[in-house]
Amino acid sequence: MLSIENENRIKQWIEDHKDEFIADLSKIIAVPSVATFGVSEGEYPFGIESANVLAAAKELVESYGFPVKNLDNFCLVANVGEGEEKIGIFGHLDVVPCGNDWNYPPYQLTVDGDLLIGRGVLDDKGPLWASIFAVRCLKDLGLMPKREIEFFLGGQEECGMNDLLHYVEVTEKLPDVSFTPDGNYPICHGEKGGLRFYLSVPCKDEKIVDFAGGTVRNVVADKAVATLKGVCGKALSEKLASNERISVETEGDFVKVTATGASVHASIPENGINAIGVLANALLDAEIFEGEAKSAMEFLKLVNSDYNGAALGVPAEDEPSGKLTHVGGVISLEDGKLDLSIDIRYPVTENGDELLKKITETVEPFGVSVNDIADTKPAYSPADSDKVRTCMRVINSVFHKDHWKPYTMGGGTYAKHLPNACALGPEDPDYESPFGLFRGSIHQADESTPAKLLFDTMLVYAKLLVELDDIDINK
């Protein structure tokens, strides 16, 4: 157990380093580190901005006295302390695209009272940097735990996690236990499986020049645009005038119909509005299509009419992790076919192969095919383990919220790909964004967090790393 005296020393160190933390975090926020999908050949596997943020982070972490290795611009690894066993802390420096409708500069850390605003301040640059400062605190105060600490700073968590797969491939010994500050408080002891694929929807029609929407697959699309020809823009505008989420513009021979939604993470689609579905529904209301194009719009409307798998034939649910969720995140038109990305988070007791079979059987009658399939299996560990109970005790000692309980979630973090791993913090499930439901949270415009939450996270990780000395972390 950490003594009261040493806990007070940690608190004072955090107080003394708040301004430095904000200044260093602002340097990381300033990099527009949207990673590319897949793995590119050459020096920048996830694009230049992912490599840039790794370089900026390496310089800062080395200035704290931590030895850092850059693993081929996939990720950074920093090791601190000594011990036969190893504790991993896994966070990521890439971010989702900003999308539209920011009121603050996304790549400039804005400090408004206690509120910090900027892309990545909550997911995941801010929490990762808080955990780094936690270990720096223990090092400065001579309170390092009996186990080695290994930091993983990833460059592609948001769109594939190939950064982690590379790390696992080249690392001789993985951590014995790991935490990622990339979820909600208190601690996630189970993560749903992840099923991703594309639906190829036939949609040949001379009226449709282009159809595009969304930015990344794991976010509800906040915008979708259909570019049309051979239709009357004025008549179409009048017909859709009552739809507040639709705008119609005439540009020469073309008419653009734009749908506006509300973006949220794919694990909580019930809190968002999918612009792809809004657009398909509006075009059906306009009655401008027949045949294949009309059938395609009806299919898009159907798929986006619910978010719990019913439209795809897989309305699954279990007691530990709740309902299956699905999101149509990105859509594009090519060679007379609409390619719609689907992101599914399925319950921890379900089987991805069986779900995929049911989905294929459901969509085939529409002439739709399933392509580019990826399945990440669920992860689940007992809530009554010594590890989870120790985490809960430390978290409650900082936040004093007895109603918080260990939980499972639909979001897929690094923990799903590591042995004996859990997501711990940083989001406060009781916190309400000052900007409202569709603004201010992760993957939304004006992403923000109270600075106090990050400083409390710093304290949680510092205390936890010391108090894990008292238990067998493998049980």
Side-chain angles (χ1 to χ4, degrees):
M1 291 286 290
L2 185 69
S3 69
I4 294 176
E5 177 186 357
N6 282 332
E7 181 173 346
N8 288 334
R9 292 174 65 206
I10 291 171
K11 290 178 179 178
Q12 186 59 54
W13 188 97
I14 293 172
E15 183 65 33
D16 294 341
H17 290 78
K18 286 182 175 180
D19 290 343
E20 183 183 356
F21 173 81
I22 297 296
D24 288 356
L25 179 59
S26 68
K27 298 174 184 176
I28 303 300
I29 297 292
V31 184
S33 50
V34 177
T36 56
F37 281 93
V39 180
S40 300
E41 294 184 2
E43 188 177 357
Y44 307 119
F46 311 131
I48 184 65
E49 294 299 353
S50 176
N52 285 343
V53 78
L54 294 180
K58 185 173 187 289
E59 182 177 351
L60 281 172
V61 176
E62 286 179 335
S63 75
Y64 306 151
F66 297 176
V68 185
K69 293 181 292 185
N70 184 324
L71 301 186
D72 307 311
N73 276 329
F74 281 75
C75 61
L76 302 178
V77 176
N79 295 83
V80 190
E82 299 178 348
E84 293 183 4
E85 293 182 314
K86 185 163 62 174
I87 299 175
I89 299 178
F90 288 73
H92 65 92
L93 297 171
D94 65 309
V95 295
V96 299
C98 289
N100 306 284
D101 199 29
W102 278 68
N103 292 327
Y104 295 84
Y107 298 118
Q108 175 183 318
L109 183 61
T110 299
V111 181
D112 184 359
D114 185 54
L115 196 65
L116 306 179
I117 307 164
R119 176 57 92 214
V121 71
L122 187 57
D123 182 24
D124 183 39
K125 294 177 176 180
L128 173 57
W129 225 253
S131 67
I132 291 171
F133 262 61
V135 175
R136 184 183 169 198
C137 168
L138 296 180
K139 183 173 179 287
D140 286 355
L141 297 179
L143 297 175
M144 286 296 292
K146 67 182 182 182
R147 299 179 176 99
E148 181 184 9
I149 307 297
E150 180 163 285
F151 282 102
F152 171 96
L153 294 78
Q156 199 216 31
E157 191 271 350
E158 295 288 2
C159 49
M161 297 193 191
N162 289 293
D163 52 353
L164 184 64
L165 299 180
H166 182 71
Y167 162 84
V168 171
E169 181 179 350
V170 303
T171 299
E172 292 184 7
K173 181 181 183 297
L174 296 176
D176 297 277
V177 65
S178 297
F179 301 94
T180 176
D182 195 20
N184 284 354
Y185 276 119
I187 183 170
C188 176
H189 68 103
E191 295 188 11
K192 289 181 177 179
L195 193 57
R196 288 182 172 185
F197 51 85
Y198 280 89
L199 296 176
S200 184
V201 187
C203 187
K204 287 184 180 179
D205 192 299
E206 292 182 353
K207 294 178 182 177
I208 304 178
V209 177
D210 193 25
F211 197 109
T215 52
V216 290
R217 295 190 296 177
N218 63 342
V219 175
V220 171
D222 69 342
K223 183 179 179 181
V225 181
T227 304
L228 310 175
K229 67 177 181 178
V231 299
C232 177
K234 182 179 179 182
L236 187 59
S237 181
E238 291 175 353
K239 189 169 264 189
L240 299 177
S242 63
N243 193 329
E244 296 179 352
R245 293 196 169 273
I246 294 292
S247 64
V248 180
E249 296 177 273
T250 300
E251 298 179 359
D253 294 333
F254 303 109
V255 175
K256 284 192 173 182
V257 183
T258 300
T260 302
S263 64
V264 294
H265 190 268
S267 63
I268 50 170
E270 64 273 15
N271 290 338
I273 299 173
N274 197 315
I276 298 170
V278 173
L279 180 58
N281 199 32
L283 293 174
L284 286 171
D285 288 343
E287 299 179 326
I288 57 176
F289 296 138
E290 295 180 353
E292 197 169 82
K294 181 180 179 181
S295 297
M297 294 305 111
E298 290 173 342
F299 180 78
L300 293 182
K301 177 183 177 181
L302 174 66
V303 170
N304 292 286
S305 64
D306 84 296
Y307 43 80
N308 292 129
L312 296 172
V314 286
E317 183 177 5
D318 69 11
E319 190 278 327
S321 56
K323 294 182 178 181
L324 177 149
T325 61
H326 83 270
V327 163
V330 179
I331 194 167
S332 61
L333 177 66
E334 186 173 356
D335 297 330
K337 290 187 176 182
L338 291 167
D339 290 316
L340 174 66
S341 73
I342 298 293
D343 183 310
I344 287 177
R345 312 299 169 98
Y346 62 88
V348 296
T349 59
E350 290 288 336
N351 181 283
D353 292 335
E354 294 178 2
L355 292 172
L356 186 62
K357 181 180 178 181
K358 293 178 182 178
I359 291 167
T360 303
E361 292 172 350
T362 300
V363 302
E364 279 184 343
F366 295 91
V368 175
S369 61
V370 183
N371 307 299
D372 298 330
I373 301 159
D375 182 16
T376 304
K377 303 303 180 184
Y380 183 63
S381 58
D384 60 353
S385 65
D386 287 345
K387 175 187 67 178
V388 174
R389 287 188 295 180
T390 299
C391 291
M392 287 299 302
R393 177 169 49 79
V394 170
I395 291 165
N396 284 332
S397 75
V398 174
F399 287 95
H400 307 290
K401 295 192 176 184
D402 294 337
H403 65 281
W404 281 2
K405 304 296 180 186
Y407 67 96
T408 60
M409 70 174 179
T413 72
Y414 287 136
K416 191 181 295 184
H417 302 274
L418 295 163
N420 198 19
C422 291
L424 190 152
E427 291 185 69
D428 181 346
D430 299 329
Y431 177 73
E432 295 183 3
S433 167
F435 304 124
L437 181 61
F438 299 128
R439 183 181 296 275
S441 188
I442 66 167
H443 294 201
Q444 293 182 346
D446 300 329
E447 179 181 341
S448 62
T449 182
K452 185 179 185 302
L453 181 64
L454 296 183
F455 296 131
D456 285 344
T457 295
M458 206 180 293
L459 177 58
V460 165
Y461 271 83
K463 290 184 65 176
L464 177 62
L465 291 171
V466 174
E467 299 206 7
L468 286 174
D469 280 354
D470 297 333
I471 68 167
D472 182 346
I473 57 176
N474 294 304
K475 289 186 177 180

